[in-house]
Amino acid sequence: MTELKEIQRLEGHTDRVWSLDWNPATGHAGIPLVFASCSGDKTVRIWEQNLSTRLWACKAVLEETHTRTVRSCAWSPSGKLLATASFDATTAIWENIGGDFECVSTLEGHENEVKSVCWNASGTLLATCSRDKSVWIWEVLPGNEFECVSVLQGHAQDVKMVKWHPTEDILFSCSYDNTVKVWADEGDSDDWQCVQSLGEPNNGHTSTVWAISFNAGGDKMVTCSDDLTLKVWETENKGMQSGGGFAPWRHLCTLTGYHDRTIFSVHWSREGIFASGAADNSIRLFVDDNESQVDGPLYKLLLKKEKAHDMDINSVQWSPGEKPILASASDDGTIKVWELIP
Amino acid sequence: MTLGLINANPVVHAKKERVSRSVDPLAVDPLEIYDFVRDIRDPEHPYSLEQLSVLSEESITVDDKLGRILITFTPTVQHCSMATVIGLCLRVKLKHYFPPHYKVDIKVSPGSHAEEESVNKQLNDKERVAAALENPNLRQLVEECLYSNEL
């Protein structure tokens, strides 16, 4: 029977853990898996797995930089830089210099709390979003310099998360205004525009959308919401770079009745399983429903882990390594590492 | 911030007698919760939420089986801009009161506020609540409401 087995429970943060991100350059070729977590305690912790004992330990605490909650963290694709977004309205960029993490740059500009930060696939662009309703795009320049190339207005409320498409330079954002917006560079000269808005008329969410995740192929995405549902969306063209311009996204299906409290996080693994974490303290895993009789693929529950934590789960993330390892972060101040056993 | 008081002439009620009850010690007693929050001071007036009928015994409902608590409160006027502050006061006061797995929802009583849906959404977005409580001015106001005594 498929099982989500708890490998370890990590303590250390002294307030709720909001988010975590796996270092994509770890977990293969003898490099131990590493992930970063961020918290209401204003710090970021770096966790590493010991290759022989297979146990996790905290390798570094990044503190005395952010002056308020650190809400989100994201490693660059090369794994060399870590971006951290804070309620103090700044985004800090950290570099591992000889074993110590140093803050090498601070991005300012948002008027209030920064909620999310994300690097594009090539590591040349960074996106941030805030309660100030805007989404900012920054260009990564040599010498750890960052230049804001666009300030995107369009959301009517607090923007909760930004996520770049896995292969294209197309940016997605989701918000307290219940919509998911899609942004693309139209004229190829930093002329970023909103090319699509997915709201109620498009079978969209009816309350705050908290997270977005793409499948490995980039032709599907899943979103989760305060409306207690998960929605799967697809895009018409398989290869968006085929020269036909932007291909719109459309609603594929809605998963309802699985969580009875706000769903804060969803993450799609390379193997096609998406995990959701919610305020009902549970984690659920979903897969393609191959036996579905209706048009197109739908999704079914693979397993549920109730009481995964003692309190709300804020983030679930699949690791980049070979094994199906999942990490979860909670209001209870802990992080748990799980392994999916078939 | 508004210049004048939202409601300059609130209706003030007498405090209700406190009746002691014997209850199942393992269950969460709504009346005990009420006892704990009834004396929170209104942000604008030197009276408790109970005295202004913002809170009453019926404000609190508990589902022990699911571990859910619902608190509904009635702002003194339809356009009360202090509704979110009252909500924050309730959250802070009750923060460590329940076993950690309990979930608390706070809403304005149906029909009691012109922007009911919008206020309820804000009151229950925990990220917004967390950010608001990191604002020193708001934090101070909340603490004045919670810790002023001698009513």
Side-chain angles (χ1 to χ4, degrees):
Chain A
M1 196 72 237
T2 315
E3 186 205 345
L4 193 64
K5 186 173 160 210
E6 184 182 319
I7 304 293
Q8 205 175 342
R9 181 172 171 273
L10 303 172
E11 292 183 323
H13 281 297
T14 54
D15 201 314
R16 64 176 18 132
V17 189
W18 278 110
S19 216
L20 65 98
D21 192 43
W22 291 90
N23 185 320
T26 66
H28 57 267
I31 302 167
L33 274 169
V34 168
F35 69 87
S37 63
C38 56
S39 165
D41 66 13
K42 309 177 199 168
T43 75
V44 176
R45 281 174 178 257
I46 312 293
W47 307 84
E48 191 180 275
Q49 187 180 36
N50 180 302
L51 284 174
S52 35
T53 65
R54 312 225 62 90
L55 289 175
W56 295 83
C58 181
K59 285 298 179 187
V61 181
L62 279 46
E63 54 196 341
E64 270 146 43
T65 296
H66 285 301
T67 54
R68 287 180 57 177
T69 286
V70 189
R71 178 61 181 88
S72 164
C73 54
W75 294 93
S76 65
S78 67
K80 297 200 170 93
L81 297 175
L82 178 68
T84 58
S86 169
F87 283 1
D88 67 13
T90 73
T91 303
I93 310 292
W94 305 80
E95 194 175 342
N96 187 343
I97 297 171
D100 281 317
F101 281 85
E102 283 177 32
C103 177
V104 296
S105 193
T106 302
L107 278 45
E108 294 174 343
H110 280 296
E111 286 170 27
N112 48 49
E113 301 92 56
V114 190
K115 304 287 176 97
S116 173
V117 60
C118 186
W119 303 80
N120 71 343
S122 56
T124 55
L125 298 171
L126 191 67
T128 56
C129 64
S130 161
R131 178 167 64 87
D132 69 11
K133 308 173 194 165
S134 70
V135 171
W136 288 47
I137 298 180
W138 309 78
E139 202 178 316
V140 186
L141 302 171
N144 292 326
E145 291 290 315
F146 292 80
E147 189 187 296
C148 174
V149 295
S150 198
V151 175
L152 305 170
Q153 312 281 7
H155 278 295
Q157 298 273 5
D158 183 11
V159 190
K160 300 296 197 186
M161 185 192 243
V162 278
K163 200 85 187 160
W164 287 98
H165 186 268
T167 56
E168 306 294 314
D169 280 347
I170 298 178
L171 182 64
F172 294 70
S173 59
C174 60
S175 164
Y176 186 100
D177 71 10
N178 309 349
T179 71
V180 173
K181 291 194 192 294
V182 189
W183 313 86
D185 188 356
E186 293 281 75
D188 212 29
S189 55
D190 291 334
D191 180 26
W192 292 85
Q193 300 292 334
C194 179
V195 291
Q196 201 180 6
S197 183
L198 300 168
E200 277 183 73
N202 319 91
N203 266 308
H205 287 289
T206 53
S207 190
T208 301
V209 189
W210 282 97
I212 302 167
S213 181
F214 293 92
N215 67 348
D219 64 304
K220 292 199 180 55
M221 75 175 167
V222 58
T223 54
C224 63
S225 167
D226 180 62
D227 69 9
L228 314 184
T229 73
L230 293 142
K231 287 179 183 281
V232 183
W233 310 79
E234 67 174 0
T235 184
E236 280 152 15
N237 291 354
K238 272 241 164 229
M240 284 162 85
Q241 72 241 29
S242 51
F246 172 73
W249 289 77
R250 63 156 187 248
H251 173 261
L252 184 58
C253 70
T254 296
L255 297 163
T256 187
Y258 293 98
H259 288 290
D260 65 350
R261 302 282 297 180
T262 304
I263 310 170
F264 286 114
S265 179
V266 65
H267 193 225
W268 216 323
S269 77
R270 280 182 325 270
E271 289 73 39
I273 303 173
F274 54 88
S276 61
D280 59 9
N281 311 348
S282 73
I283 294 171
R284 285 171 184 266
L285 305 184
F286 298 87
V287 289
D288 263 40
D289 184 359
N290 300 311
E291 284 136 54
S292 165
Q293 300 299 320
V294 292
D295 277 319
L298 290 183
Y299 299 85
K300 65 179 179 191
L301 183 73
L302 174 65
L303 75 81
K304 66 179 175 187
K305 189 78 183 179
E306 290 177 326
K307 297 185 192 172
H309 281 271
D310 293 335
M311 295 173 76
D312 289 13
I313 295 167
N314 298 318
S315 182
V316 286
Q317 295 287 309
W318 291 101
S319 91
E322 287 261 305
K323 290 174 151 200
I325 304 266
L326 183 77
S328 58
S330 169
D331 273 359
D332 66 16
T334 73
I335 296 155
K336 287 193 179 185
V337 184
W338 312 81
E339 188 172 340
L340 183 62
I341 316 279
Chain B
M1 290 300 276
T2 51
L3 296 174
L5 293 178
I6 299 298
N7 179 12
N9 297 301
V11 178
V12 182
H13 304 269
K15 281 155 61 155
K16 214 174 155 175
E17 225 180 82
R18 283 129 215 263
V19 179
S20 61
R21 295 153 48 99
S22 61
V23 289
D24 170 7
L26 295 175
V28 172
D29 180 12
L31 285 188
E32 265 185 26
I33 302 172
Y34 177 61
D35 226 15
F36 198 60
V37 297
R38 69 206 288 185
D39 292 328
I40 294 173
R41 204 199 74 162
D42 181 87
E44 283 196 310
H45 308 98
Y47 297 106
S48 73
L49 297 180
E50 172 183 43
Q51 287 173 314
L52 297 173
S53 288
V54 174
L55 284 177
S56 73
E57 283 173 12
E58 290 71 42
S59 297
I60 323 254
T61 49
V62 178
D63 182 330
D64 272 301
K65 204 161 134 255
L66 282 179
R68 307 269 198 263
I69 292 144
L70 173 64
I71 303 176
T72 53
F73 67 93
T74 309
T76 54
V77 284
Q78 280 279 333
H79 288 93
C80 178
S81 65
M82 289 287 136
T84 48
V85 177
I86 294 169
L88 284 180
C89 290
L90 288 165
R91 287 224 181 261
V92 174
K93 184 87 191 190
L94 294 167
K95 186 167 183 192
H96 299 293
Y97 191 82
F98 306 106
H101 67 279
Y102 271 79
K103 309 293 176 182
V104 181
D105 290 317
I106 301 179
K107 296 187 176 182
V108 292
S109 358
S112 69
H113 197 285
E115 276 154 59
E116 184 175 328
E117 246 187 67
S118 156
V119 171
N120 286 342
K121 191 173 182 182
Q122 248 193 302
L123 291 177
N124 295 291
D125 179 319
K126 77 175 186 197
E127 188 187 65
R128 294 289 282 264
V129 170
L133 292 173
E134 287 185 357
N135 174 328
N137 295 328
L138 213 36
R139 188 88 213 200
Q140 196 189 351
L141 180 55
V142 166
E143 287 183 7
E144 281 168 21
C145 296
L146 297 186
Y147 301 120
S148 77
N149 31 27
E150 277 88 80
L151 285 170

